[in-house]
Amino acid sequence: MPLLPPSRIRRPLTTVAAASFAVLAVTVLTVRAGGGEVAAAPGLAVYDACKPVDAIWVRGSGQVVSQSVSAENWTNQYRRFRSELERRLGDETVHFYELGFEPITGYQYPAEAVGTGDWDAISSSLGALFSGGQSYEYGASVDQGVGELSMYVKLRLITCPDTLFVVGGYSQGAQVAGEAYVEELTPLERSAVVFTMLFGDPKLYLPEGSVDWADWHDDEHSNTPPACQGRGLSEWRRGVPNCRTNAGSLGSRVPYLPASWSDTTGLWCADRDFICGSASAPWTLDGHMAYSQSGAIDEGVREAVERLQARMPGSTFNTKWLTVKQGAVGLDVVFVVDSTGSMTSRIAAARALASTLAGDVVGRSGRVALVEYRDAGDRFTARVLTQLAADDSDFTRALNGIRVGGGGDAPEALLHALKTAMEGVDWTPGATKAIVVLTDAGFHSPDRVDGTTLAQVAALSLSIDPVNVYPVVPASLASAYAELAEATTGQVVADTGDTAEALLEALTRVIDRPVARLPLNTYEAAPGDEVFFDGSSSYSVDSEIAAWDWDFDGDGVYEVTDGGSTASYVYEDRFDGFMQMRVWDAAGLVASTSVRVLVGADAVASEDEPRDLTAEVDGYTATVSWTTAQDPPSAWRVTLNGVELGYAPPEARSVGLTDLAWDGPNLVGITPLYAEVGLGETALID
């Protein structure tokens, strides 16, 4: 485990700020004592007209304040946060404030940008002289944010004593929100904050992701954190699919939250987000940039609204899953169309519905693609006509361009076409996925083109998260397709003569089906360990989950059917495969999800930390030197008080630091960066 720097020591509210707070408080109380509504004071949002809910957004490093500019210039995260709350609560219910919009008792959050995680930037800044002032700029930025957030809540409660707060923070903003709760707010003020959502927090703390947590590890479990077995998940953990995520890029704040906050805070850390610790390489940031598109903010807002409804008797807020109702990031649907000679009328029916079929998917945060297939010996056997896209124009154009031809015997090359579709389109990680097949013929098994079998299609479906197949076929072929649909957790839709109606029925089943969800994307264990799976976050938009089925080894045979939302299984031997969970709703619709399970996997290599750190200090500058027992890494990461300053070249054995704080602390960290492994162990010197 890397050595983690201590939490940054913050000063309490300054005397000036405290005095300003006292003056403002007296002013507000005086106005209220005079009776009537509190008059709005120019330039101070804390005096705005009261509404039942106050929503506060704390932006990330380097982002500009967007509350005062046009909607087109809003940061994506704040836009999502605000729009989701508005359409669930209504304009008359919620008042918005973005931290940094104006000074509050001398505090104004600047969201200072410090450090770099972009490998292109790292490559161009491999110098060996770093400014410690950058670290203090970041620390001062966080201090300003903590002060502003705390004072806004305090003053707003004087103006509007009955208001309830929802808070969202992204990146540095998540750190600000967490530290405000730990250090500044009183228990009474905390009780007014109904829910806080934190996205990509650089001070993340999930002890269950560490093998060292609570003396968990021994010789048998030395490389398996409890989270990887589905156990000990923190109360504030929400969308954190990587079971080994335990600390943010700036170390952990311990304790992460006051005890009174652990059940009113949700934490999201996407895959491939170095900032919050789900990725080891600093250049891995695509997850950090995707919270507004991934559905994480939607999930946080929905939970916040549920909690508001519980605190506000008689309210009728919209707590249903709205735009993102299929999986975490929408819905991927591929239409696989048989274009052999007998398909003229069915393809014509599909053409007439092209914009409807694609539009219904796109309108639900989805993407649509088109694949055409025939049979062995034809001019082509299967081809991807359009890739997955959130636009129906290419799909409609390609469907209109299909011309029938070929085909010989009755069965066609569907298994080959399914393999082509599954391997040939760019599926969205986290989205629920479906293939709708339109054909009037059976299929060869194994396929005559490439030997693909039904079992191979089912296994490939599982490995992609999975892909559920919905065949639209003549009623006489329904039983012949039942095994394929069952193996991929899809459903057969019988075309009884109205192809358009059958296609719409298939699409309705795809769109309205429940969503099967598990908290992790990979589970790890040692042979003989019990792994705990929790599917309780699965949901149905217009129905309710009636049953969970569990296939622990991914062989298509469900060890538990008609079961509950959780299940445990002991993997006695080494295993590297998939577990699948299937859920049924009360309307008879079905969905599934699959996750990889690694039992007895080899340990991940851990690199040695730099050795023999020494420091020569001269006033506000210092030279830090070290040796190492390892081969030179790709670069050396340099931090001050847990804040990244930059990277030194692999041959470096010393760095110079300037602009150090005279009153400290000046805790310098040197961490090797290995191209294949990521960050190694950190050595610290004060």
Side-chain angles (χ1 to χ4, degrees):
M1 282 290 295
L3 299 173
L4 301 178
S7 297
R8 184 175 47 78
I9 300 173
R10 288 196 63 259
R11 64 185 183 280
L13 292 175
T14 65
T15 303
V16 173
S20 300
F21 169 73
V23 172
L24 287 169
V26 169
T27 301
V28 175
L29 291 173
T30 300
V31 174
R32 292 188 66 86
E37 294 295 323
V38 177
L44 286 179
V46 293
Y47 291 122
D48 286 348
C50 297
K51 294 186 178 182
V53 178
D54 224 287
I56 306 171
W57 180 255
V58 194
R59 68 195 190 281
S61 301
Q63 293 183 329
V64 299
V65 176
S66 52
Q67 182 167 347
S68 60
V69 298
S70 65
E72 289 72 20
N73 293 324
W74 288 5
T75 58
N76 289 336
Q77 297 87 6
Y78 180 45
R79 181 200 297 268
R80 195 74 179 187
F81 174 79
R82 181 164 181 157
S83 64
E84 285 298 300
L85 279 169
E86 283 177 335
R87 68 170 172 169
R88 290 177 179 275
L89 299 179
D91 293 341
E92 299 303 314
T93 300
V94 58
H95 171 268
F96 291 95
Y97 181 73
E98 186 182 10
L99 224 63
F101 177 60
E102 62 189 15
I104 305 290
T105 65
Y107 290 104
Q108 188 169 17
Y109 173 55
E112 190 71 41
V114 177
T116 178
D118 184 338
W119 181 245
D120 291 335
I122 292 169
S123 300
S124 63
S125 62
L126 294 181
L129 183 66
F130 302 92
S131 171
Q134 295 182 71
S135 172
Y136 298 107
E137 289 172 8
Y138 181 93
S141 174
V142 174
D143 283 350
Q144 286 288 311
V146 169
E148 184 185 348
L149 176 57
S150 303
M151 297 304 291
Y152 179 84
V153 171
K154 293 173 186 292
L155 292 171
R156 190 66 172 159
L157 282 173
I158 295 174
T159 307
C160 308
D162 297 324
T163 196
L164 298 174
F165 294 89
V166 171
V167 180
Y170 166 67
S171 196
Q172 183 184 154
Q175 179 180 349
V176 167
E179 292 196 11
Y181 300 151
V182 168
E183 301 176 27
E184 300 292 4
L185 295 185
T186 67
L188 181 62
E189 291 159 352
R190 291 177 189 170
S191 69
V193 182
V194 173
F195 190 65
T196 301
M197 55 200 84
L198 307 178
F199 306 99
D201 188 355
K203 298 293 288 185
L204 173 148
Y205 180 54
L206 293 172
E208 67 271 18
S210 167
V211 295
D212 296 320
W213 182 49
D215 298 322
W216 168 267
H217 73 290
D218 54 30
D219 290 341
E220 188 177 2
H221 302 92
S222 60
N223 194 48
T224 308
C228 292
Q229 296 183 28
R231 299 189 177 279
L233 303 186
S234 294
E235 193 171 11
W236 54 86
R237 185 177 189 138
R238 296 297 189 273
V240 188
N242 186 332
C243 68
R244 291 180 176 270
T245 302
N246 62 86
S249 60
L250 301 186
S252 291
R253 181 177 61 251
V254 182
Y256 186 61
L257 297 165
S260 60
W261 277 101
S262 60
D263 65 344
T264 58
T265 302
L267 171 68
W268 282 260
C269 178
D271 272 343
R272 298 180 59 78
D273 184 351
F274 172 77
I275 301 301
C276 57
S278 69
S280 58
W283 56 85
T284 307
L285 291 172
D286 42 325
H288 193 66
M289 309 307 294
Y291 289 100
S292 59
Q293 293 82 31
S294 70
I297 293 176
D298 303 58
E299 293 178 11
V301 168
R302 189 186 69 87
E303 183 172 352
V305 172
E306 283 185 334
R307 291 169 180 263
L308 284 169
Q309 187 163 271
R311 291 280 296 270
M312 300 170 66
S315 60
T316 56
F317 302 142
N318 189 341
T319 60
K320 297 178 72 173
W321 292 89
L322 297 175
T323 300
V324 182
K325 59 184 290 186
Q326 289 291 338
V329 287
L331 171 67
D332 283 350
V333 179
V334 178
F335 289 86
V336 176
V337 177
D338 173 2
S339 64
T340 55
S342 59
M343 286 291 294
T344 300
S345 62
R346 286 179 167 82
I347 292 176
R351 286 183 185 134
L353 284 173
S355 60
T356 299
L357 296 173
D360 282 354
V361 175
V362 172
R364 288 163 173 80
S365 297
R367 302 191 304 164
V368 63
L370 182 63
V371 173
E372 176 186 10
Y373 77 98
R374 291 183 181 176
D375 200 4
D378 286 332
R379 181 168 57 88
F380 65 88
T381 53
R383 57 187 181 184
V384 177
L385 297 182
T386 66
Q387 275 289 344
L388 283 163
D391 185 336
D392 62 4
S393 58
D394 287 345
F395 175 87
T396 301
R397 189 179 306 112
L399 185 57
N400 287 335
I402 289 180
R403 297 294 179 264
V404 300
D409 56 354
E412 314 296 0
L414 175 61
L415 297 183
H416 165 65
L418 292 174
K419 182 172 183 288
T420 299
M422 291 181 189
E423 294 180 339
V425 302
D426 184 19
W427 300 100
T428 307
T432 54
K433 305 167 178 69
I435 289 177
V436 176
V437 175
L438 179 62
T439 183
D440 64 353
F443 57 90
H444 295 290
S445 183
D447 196 276
R448 293 183 179 179
V449 176
D450 56 9
T452 300
T453 65
L454 193 153
Q456 290 172 333
V457 167
L460 184 57
S461 164
L462 270 188
S463 70
I464 308 176
D465 187 25
V467 180
N468 309 129
V469 179
Y470 287 74
V472 177
V473 298
S476 60
L477 292 175
S479 60
Y481 276 85
E483 184 181 2
L484 172 61
E486 169 77 13
T488 59
T489 315
Q491 291 182 314
V492 177
V493 177
D495 179 354
T496 58
D498 190 333
T499 301
E501 182 181 0
L503 281 169
L504 290 174
E505 170 65 19
L507 191 58
T508 297
R509 293 190 190 188
V510 168
I511 291 173
D512 290 350
R513 62 185 166 164
V515 176
R517 304 181 72 184
L518 291 163
L520 304 173
N521 57 15
T522 303
Y523 290 77
E524 300 177 31
D529 283 345
E530 185 179 55
V531 182
F532 180 73
F533 302 103
D534 185 351
S536 60
S537 61
S538 304
Y539 64 90
S540 175
V541 175
D542 298 314
S543 183
E544 60 183 17
I545 306 299
W548 285 257
D549 300 338
W550 302 90
D551 174 12
F552 298 111
D553 55 7
D555 64 354
V557 177
Y558 286 83
E559 285 81 7
V560 176
T561 58
D562 199 22
S565 62
T566 63
S568 298
Y569 189 75
V570 176
Y571 291 86
E572 299 289 356
D573 303 311
R574 293 176 66 92
F575 177 76
D576 182 352
F578 291 90
M579 187 281 296
Q580 61 177 327
M581 177 189 74
R582 185 170 62 189
V583 297
W584 297 86
D585 69 12
L589 299 180
V590 63
S592 66
T593 189
S594 57
V595 290
R596 191 179 183 189
V597 178
L598 298 170
V599 180
D602 294 334
V604 177
S606 177
E607 303 294 342
D608 285 347
E609 71 277 9
R611 308 285 184 173
D612 305 322
L613 263 68
T614 60
E616 295 183 6
V617 180
D618 181 10
Y620 302 113
T621 66
T623 299
V624 177
S625 304
W626 67 91
T627 63
T628 180
Q630 294 290 329
D631 292 334
S634 302
W636 298 97
R637 184 192 192 204
V638 183
T639 61
L640 182 61
N641 298 329
V643 179
E644 180 183 299
L645 299 182
Y647 289 76
E651 64 273 13
R653 291 298 179 272
S654 67
V655 295
L657 292 100
T658 64
D659 306 322
L660 297 178
W662 66 271
D663 55 350
N666 290 296
L667 194 63
V668 180
I670 306 295
T671 310
L673 171 63
Y674 296 91
E676 299 300 326
V677 178
L679 292 176
E681 300 259 339
T682 299
L684 300 170
I685 187 168
D686 188 351

